[in-house]
Amino acid sequence: MLLNQLSGLWQESIQDPEFRFELKAQKVSVDLASAFTNTGMSQKELAEKLGWRTSRVSKVLHGGSNLTLRTLFDICEAMQTDFDIEIDGQSQLKQEIEIVKMKSEQLSELIGAVWRKKELASTQQQPLVNMQAYSFAS
């Protein structure tokens, strides 16, 4: 089933450290871009505050750059916002993977139940259809 293939592909991909890095980097980029949007500033204004070119700001906000903590700090300072980093025993990514696995299993069960119900309904309706056809022909 397609869902099982997708689940398998996800499980395979998540084993790759580069893939996991890209997921983390994209999350930071999305969060940073969201915070930037909330400031109401233009990229030009942020670039001026940082002493950067507008193209560098654009690259950073669109995930095209591997940010250092210092760069992230400087950007947040210029936007008058803050950021936190959490490090714990069970990462958010691992929790999300478990949720995806559970949801894919539940979805597979639900799809199976729907098909079983459809097949049952089909077999139960067959005698009724036959009786109606017989009545109509008589």
Side-chain angles (χ1 to χ4, degrees):
M1 206 180 267
L2 179 61
L3 185 59
N4 290 336
Q5 290 173 337
L6 290 174
S7 180
L9 181 59
W10 174 258
Q11 292 302 318
E12 182 182 321
S13 298
I14 208 65
Q15 300 303 318
D16 180 10
E18 288 300 314
F19 181 78
R20 290 193 315 269
F21 170 79
E22 288 301 324
L23 287 177
K24 295 287 187 180
Q26 287 302 312
K27 169 106 172 69
V28 170
S29 293
V30 167
D31 290 349
L32 189 59
S34 178
F36 172 71
T37 300
N38 291 335
T39 67
M41 279 193 282
S42 69
Q43 289 185 12
K44 183 178 179 182
E45 291 170 317
L46 182 58
E48 288 170 357
K49 283 187 169 192
L50 292 164
W52 294 0
R53 292 184 186 152
T54 307
S55 61
R56 182 175 179 200
V57 169
S58 177
K59 187 176 179 181
V60 165
L61 292 176
H62 292 93
S65 133
N66 187 2
L67 301 175
T68 64
L69 288 176
R70 184 67 209 202
T71 301
L72 186 56
F73 176 81
D74 290 343
I75 293 168
C76 288
E77 284 288 302
M79 294 189 313
Q80 296 179 336
T81 190
D82 197 11
F83 72 96
D84 289 314
I85 296 174
E86 292 182 32
I87 300 175
D88 60 10
Q90 184 167 7
S91 72
Q92 179 69 25
L93 180 59
K94 287 181 183 177
Q95 291 173 8
E96 289 171 5
I97 291 168
E98 290 303 314
I99 290 169
V100 167
K101 283 171 49 178
M102 289 185 329
K103 286 185 177 183
S104 70
E105 290 168 3
Q106 290 171 344
L107 188 55
S108 291
E109 290 174 19
L110 180 61
I111 290 170
V114 168
W115 278 107
R116 286 189 297 278
K117 188 172 183 175
K118 182 179 176 185
E119 289 172 359
L120 180 62
S122 172
T123 58
Q124 289 176 344
Q125 288 179 356
Q126 191 61 41
L128 180 60
V129 169
N130 288 343
M131 286 175 40
Q132 289 173 342
Y134 178 76
S135 296
F136 181 74
S138 299

